[in-house]
């Protein structure tokens, strides 16, 4: 009984407990599930919702508190769910609405927040709205962006302007049925909705409410920059980068991306989310924006009411060929220096559209990149498989599924294909890496799964997964949740940062981007103890967990990262023992009084 009391007192008064002033999402460790590739429950070789539900405990065990799912709505799957034919139903490939409700219920019972992918810019061309719009049936006639085209001197009708699809090819497709062009930022099977039509605006708000009523905690908003286009349809200026007028890079995108009205729509959605929370349970519902625009346009989303725009700077601005100096300047400082006051930062190193971290950086850098992602201030976002360092898989032209790659030819498809980073999750060394009982899966399983898999990494003494889990656990400490950040370049290839908070033991993270060991002094972090100890280390680090190091001279292995805390005689342990002592005294005093 008394033992229990001590334990619960310890739990209650832990100095590293979550700050009550921070809302749930501000400290979230978010995990992205790509439903087709995470877990297949029925053996058809494609992941599904019951599969996701069966693995939720894994997320909880790992320390994840929030997950977002790429689309599971009804879809012809031209863009694997990003072409939606019914925004309020579940595709049978993924399961049923009951399966979805069960998923949300199980997630709630485990304390997990569920984020849906909202795809507001376009629908599938098989959506009822588009079919009716094609036929000119009201009120759907103006649900999409229609244009009669431009008449040439010889009387022929041609495209309205030079706008190009993100996936390559012209962004206008002629409909012989309607005798007009429709605009599509993505594939021609993904017509853009017309947000200058109030009915469309209302439809999307109703869709948001529909999913809120089913218990979701927020939305990842897909391709938000593409919502509006200039209504005078001017030609985009040429970029000068290529001579191919059907290449997306042929023009700049002044008139088709991040228009002012886009931000106004985001503000309206924020109001909707806030009102919803107010009229129900006062639990914040969030919006995370997918945007690859320039820093000014990205930061404007905060002002517009987004909880945060995804910070893709470690994806867009740099990769494994950059020095630490460039990573600091182009990705980290560029983000932190431009961040508005009093907002929540976030970090993302991978997603279903970009090469895996092990491939974009290198497999040696997986742990160091996870340290950066999880220990800089704010929300961290993990793409499934990055916790075990999954690698891109080369996929043949014949096996290629991604429409972006299929739009190219056999010589160039590899530059565009997103299939290599969407292969099935490598759970264990059994059939299809434990992803499916089927030996044939929608994309092939990476051949390295026999050794690179979660089960093996759970068993191993040191592994990417163990590093990852330790980082997620460290994120629970208030020094990470609320501490200041100080990023320093120690040599051209070694970057370090501290997280500091009064009353907490500082955390120092050192990352080496060079192919050789470097020796650095950490004396610039004056508040760190002279004697430190490695608390988390990359699996390729010579300095292993528990090794004592002196602040003034640390030898950091090639391409590794380490997390340092105060050594035994000070810092964490001092705080730990004093907290423990105080509690013990309190308990003793109590028992004496009884
Ligand atoms: C977003 C998605 C991407 C999709 C596109 C069109 O960029 O992340 O996967 O192809 O939008 O919806
Ligand atoms: Mg649009």
């Amino acid at each position: 009984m008394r033992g229990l009391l001590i334990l619960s007192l310890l739990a209650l008064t832990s100095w590293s407990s979550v700050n009550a002033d921070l809302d749930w999402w501000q400290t979230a460790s978010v995990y992205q599930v790509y439903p087709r590739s995470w877990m297949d429950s029925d053996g058809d070789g494609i992941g599904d919702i019951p599969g996701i539900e069966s693995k939720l405990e894994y997320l909880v065990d790992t320390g994840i508190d929030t997950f977002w799912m790429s689309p599971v709505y009804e879809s012809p799957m031209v863009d694997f769910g990003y072409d939606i034919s019914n925004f309020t139903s579940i595709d049978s490939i993924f399961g049923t609405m009951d399966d979805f409700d069960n998923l949300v219920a199980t997630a709630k019972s485990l304390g997990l927040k569920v984020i849906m992918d909202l795809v507001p810019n376009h629908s599938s061309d098989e959506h009822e709205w588009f079919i009716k719009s094609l036929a000119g049936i009201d009120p759907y006639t103006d649900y999409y962006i229609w244009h009669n085209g431009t008449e040439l001197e010889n009387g022929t009708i041609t495209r309205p302007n030079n706008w190009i699809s993100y996936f390559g090819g012209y962004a206008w497709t002629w409909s012989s049925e309607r005798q007009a062009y429709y605009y599509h930022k993505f594939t021609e099977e993904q017509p853009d909705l017309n947000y200058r039509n109030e009915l469309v605006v209302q439809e999307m708000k109703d869709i948001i409410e529909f999913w809120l009523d089913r218990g979701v905690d927020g939305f990842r908003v897909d391709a938000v920059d593409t919502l509006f286009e200039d209504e005078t349809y001017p030609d985009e200026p040429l970029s000068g980068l290529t001579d191919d007028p059907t290449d997306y890079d042929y023009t700049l995108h002044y008139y088709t991306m991040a228009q002012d009205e886009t931000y106004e729509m985001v503000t309206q959605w924020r109001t909707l989310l806030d009102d919803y929370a107010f009229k129900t349970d006062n639990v914040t519902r969030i919006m995370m924006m997918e945007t690859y625009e320039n820093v000014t346009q990205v930061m404007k989303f905060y002002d517009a009411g987004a909880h945060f725009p995804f910070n893709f700077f470690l994806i867009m601005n740099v990769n494994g060929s950059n020095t630490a100096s460039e990573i600091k300047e182009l990705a980290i400082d560029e983000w932190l220096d431009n961040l508005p006051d009093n907002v929540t930062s976030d970090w993302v190193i991978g997603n279903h559209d970009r090469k895996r971290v092990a491939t974009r950086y290198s497999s040696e850098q997986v742990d160091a990149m996870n340290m950066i992602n999880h220990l800089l201030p704010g929300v961290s976002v993990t793409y499934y498989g990055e916790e075990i360092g999954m690698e891109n898989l080369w996929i043949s032209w014949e096996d290629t599924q991604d429409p972006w790659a299929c739009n190219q030819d056999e010589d160039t498809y590899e530059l565009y294909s997103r299939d290599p980073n969407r292969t099935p999750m490598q759970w264990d060394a059994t059939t299809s890496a434990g992803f499916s009982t089927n030996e044939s899966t929608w994309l092939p399983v990476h051949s390295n799964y026999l050794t690179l898999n979660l089960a093996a990494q759970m068993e191993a003494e040191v592994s990417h997964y163990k590093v990852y889990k330790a980082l997620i656990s460290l994120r629970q400490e208030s020094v990470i949740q609320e501490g200041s950040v100080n990023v320093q370049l120690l040599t051209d290839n070694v970057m370090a940062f501290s997280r500091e908070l009064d009353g907490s033991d500082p955390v120092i993270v050192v990352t080496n981007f060079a192919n050789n060991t470097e020796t650095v002094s950490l004396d610039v972090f004056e508040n760190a103890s002279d004697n430190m100890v490695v608390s988390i280390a990359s699996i390729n680090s010579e300095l292993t967990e528990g090794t004592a190091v002196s602040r003034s001279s640390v030898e950091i292995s090639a391409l590794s990262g380490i997390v340092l805390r105060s050594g035994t005689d000070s810092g964490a342990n001092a705080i730990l023992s004093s907290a423990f002592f105080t509690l013990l005294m309190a308990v003793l005093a109590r028992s004496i009084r009884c």
Side-chain angles (χ1 to χ4, degrees):
M1 181 64 203
R2 189 132 295 154
L4 255 184
L5 181 66
I6 295 181
L7 271 182
S8 50
L9 265 175
L10 264 178
L12 274 176
T13 53
S14 159
W15 66 91
S16 60
S17 64
V18 177
N19 182 320
D21 296 339
L22 290 173
D23 203 352
W24 67 266
W25 58 274
Q26 296 180 286
T27 57
S29 305
V30 181
Y31 187 95
Q32 180 189 354
V33 170
Y34 191 68
R36 292 181 76 84
S37 302
W38 206 49
M39 187 63 203
D40 173 23
S41 73
D42 60 2
D44 66 353
I46 305 174
D48 47 46
I49 293 174
I52 298 174
E53 188 184 348
S54 73
K55 292 291 188 185
L56 291 184
E57 288 203 20
Y58 159 65
L59 293 184
V60 176
D61 290 345
T62 305
I64 297 296
D65 43 52
T66 306
F67 66 99
W68 79 267
M69 279 180 297
S70 286
V72 288
Y73 313 100
E74 201 178 297
S75 164
M77 301 290 165
V78 169
D79 192 15
F80 297 109
Y82 284 96
D83 49 319
I84 299 169
S85 48
N86 185 337
F87 288 92
T88 53
S89 81
I90 298 291
D91 198 281
S92 56
I93 285 185
F94 296 120
T96 63
M97 193 58 92
D98 281 346
D99 293 331
F100 179 81
D101 290 341
N102 290 338
L103 173 75
V104 173
T106 305
K108 300 247 138 155
S109 72
L110 292 169
L112 284 166
K113 300 278 195 232
V114 185
I115 310 282
M116 288 294 265
D117 203 329
L118 181 74
V119 186
N121 177 63
H122 45 268
S123 72
S124 158
D125 63 343
E126 292 186 24
H127 196 294
E128 188 199 337
W129 299 339
F130 190 71
I131 293 167
K132 292 192 168 152
S133 196
L134 266 182
I137 299 174
D138 277 335
Y140 303 102
T141 315
D142 294 327
Y143 264 41
Y144 296 84
I145 319 267
W146 290 102
H147 196 291
N148 290 336
T150 308
E151 193 174 337
L152 299 179
E153 274 176 18
N154 66 8
T156 48
I157 303 288
T158 185
R159 287 175 299 277
N161 57 31
N162 69 354
W163 294 358
I164 309 160
S165 158
Y166 189 78
F167 291 150
Y170 292 111
W172 295 99
T173 291
W174 175 256
S175 156
S176 50
E177 184 177 346
R178 173 125 171 195
Q179 290 290 305
Y181 285 98
Y182 66 89
Y183 173 73
H184 50 89
K185 183 73 184 185
F186 299 94
T187 68
E188 65 180 64
E189 293 89 353
Q190 293 166 295
D192 272 47
L193 286 158
N194 173 14
Y195 276 83
R196 296 210 169 79
N197 180 340
E198 276 307 314
L199 296 175
V200 170
V201 170
Q202 191 54 47
E203 293 273 16
M204 202 47 66
K205 288 182 179 169
D206 292 347
I207 289 161
I208 293 175
E209 288 228 25
F210 176 90
W211 293 104
L212 291 174
D213 284 344
R214 296 209 99 87
V216 311
D217 299 286
F219 300 90
R220 171 262 186 191
V221 185
D222 181 75
V224 64
D225 300 306
T226 64
L227 272 192
F228 283 86
E229 300 74 32
D230 189 304
E231 52 187 333
T232 64
Y233 303 103
D235 270 347
E236 297 273 30
L238 303 191
S239 70
L241 293 174
T242 151
D243 292 336
D244 176 0
T246 63
D247 186 317
Y248 190 60
D249 288 338
Y250 182 67
T251 66
L252 302 174
H253 308 287
Y254 287 173
Y255 302 117
T256 53
M257 297 295 277
Q259 306 293 294
D260 289 345
E261 295 99 318
T262 299
Y263 297 96
E264 288 160 24
M265 190 54 52
V266 169
T267 306
Q268 291 188 34
W269 290 337
R270 174 60 182 264
T271 306
L272 189 164
L273 295 181
D274 287 356
D275 288 351
Y276 191 89
F278 182 72
K279 70 180 187 219
T280 56
D281 50 12
N282 276 319
V283 177
T284 308
R285 306 308 198 278
I286 66 164
M287 256 187 312
M288 331 185 278
M289 315 324 253
E290 186 209 22
T291 165
Y292 286 96
E293 292 307 288
N294 69 41
V295 62
T296 316
Q297 288 163 325
V298 170
M299 295 303 177
K300 265 170 74 179
F301 280 105
Y302 277 114
D303 200 33
H307 292 81
F308 51 90
F310 279 141
N311 167 4
F312 290 143
F313 287 11
L314 286 163
I315 294 181
M316 290 156 63
N317 301 0
V318 286
N319 58 43
S321 68
N322 290 99
T323 60
S325 157
E326 290 159 344
I327 297 208
K328 176 178 182 297
E329 181 192 337
L330 304 174
I332 297 177
D333 291 350
E334 177 75 355
W335 178 264
L336 291 175
D337 293 349
N338 286 293
L339 202 62
D341 291 339
N342 303 318
V343 299
T344 298
S345 178
D346 72 283
W347 304 89
V348 190
I349 49 176
N351 62 38
H352 63 294
D353 294 325
R354 299 295 165 136
K355 287 187 184 127
R356 287 199 171 272
V357 174
T359 307
R360 212 170 347 100
Y361 288 84
S362 65
S363 53
E364 290 87 351
Q365 285 166 296
V366 163
D367 302 316
M369 291 312 296
N370 273 332
M371 287 173 190
I372 292 172
N373 201 43
H374 295 289
L375 299 181
L376 284 170
V379 175
S380 71
V381 186
T382 303
Y383 180 51
Y384 83 91
E386 299 297 11
E387 70 276 35
I388 56 170
M390 276 175 62
E391 295 167 9
N392 269 32
L393 172 67
W394 180 82
I395 292 180
S396 69
W397 173 242
E398 288 70 36
D399 282 345
T400 292
Q401 309 272 346
D402 181 5
W404 196 356
C406 296
N407 257 355
Q408 321 297 327
D409 57 42
E410 194 169 347
D411 295 333
T412 54
Y413 80 97
E414 287 174 60
L415 291 173
Y416 301 88
S417 184
R418 298 167 295 178
D419 293 335
N421 47 285
R422 295 177 174 176
T423 61
M425 173 70 183
Q426 292 163 210
W427 295 102
D428 57 38
T430 64
T431 304
S432 290
F435 159 74
S436 176
T437 51
N438 198 323
E439 281 179 13
S440 149
T441 51
W442 82 282
L443 284 174
V445 172
H446 200 298
S447 55
N448 66 14
Y449 81 96
L450 287 173
T451 48
L452 199 169
N453 65 64
L454 176 70
Q457 294 198 14
M458 282 178 157
E459 293 264 302
E461 188 88 2
V462 289
S463 67
H464 295 312
Y465 178 70
K466 288 206 166 152
V467 169
Y468 180 85
K469 199 172 168 185
L471 294 171
I472 298 286
S473 163
L474 183 50
R475 288 176 55 76
Q476 304 308 311
E477 288 198 28
S478 38
V479 64
I480 299 299
Q481 298 192 339
E482 302 160 58
S484 60
V485 63
N486 174 6
V487 187
Q488 294 285 335
L489 191 67
L490 303 178
T491 72
D492 200 39
N493 263 316
V494 180
M495 180 185 77
F497 62 91
S498 72
R499 301 299 312 278
E500 298 180 33
L501 183 71
D502 278 352
S504 299
D505 179 34
V507 172
I508 311 288
V509 181
V510 190
T511 51
N512 181 4
F513 288 84
N515 279 314
N516 50 275
T517 300
E518 300 239 341
T519 305
V520 293
S521 158
L522 301 174
D523 286 344
V524 4
F525 301 112
E526 290 167 5
N527 298 327
S529 143
D530 289 342
N531 301 306
M532 292 198 281
V533 66
V534 177
S535 96
I536 308 174
S538 284
I539 65 171
N540 54 336
S541 169
E542 293 277 333
L543 291 173
T544 51
E545 186 188 328
T547 312
V549 294
S550 145
R551 191 181 81 181
S552 55
S553 177
V554 177
E555 278 191 21
I556 170 111
S557 308
L559 304 174
S560 77
I562 48 175
V563 179
L564 300 168
R565 306 300 299 266
S566 298
T568 41
D569 54 353
S570 59
N573 289 308
I575 296 170
L576 174 63
S577 40
S578 83
F580 188 75
F581 184 70
T582 315
L583 276 168
L584 202 62
M585 284 297 130
V587 173
L588 280 178
R590 206 187 129 96
S591 64
I592 291 165
R593 270 205 309 277
C594 301

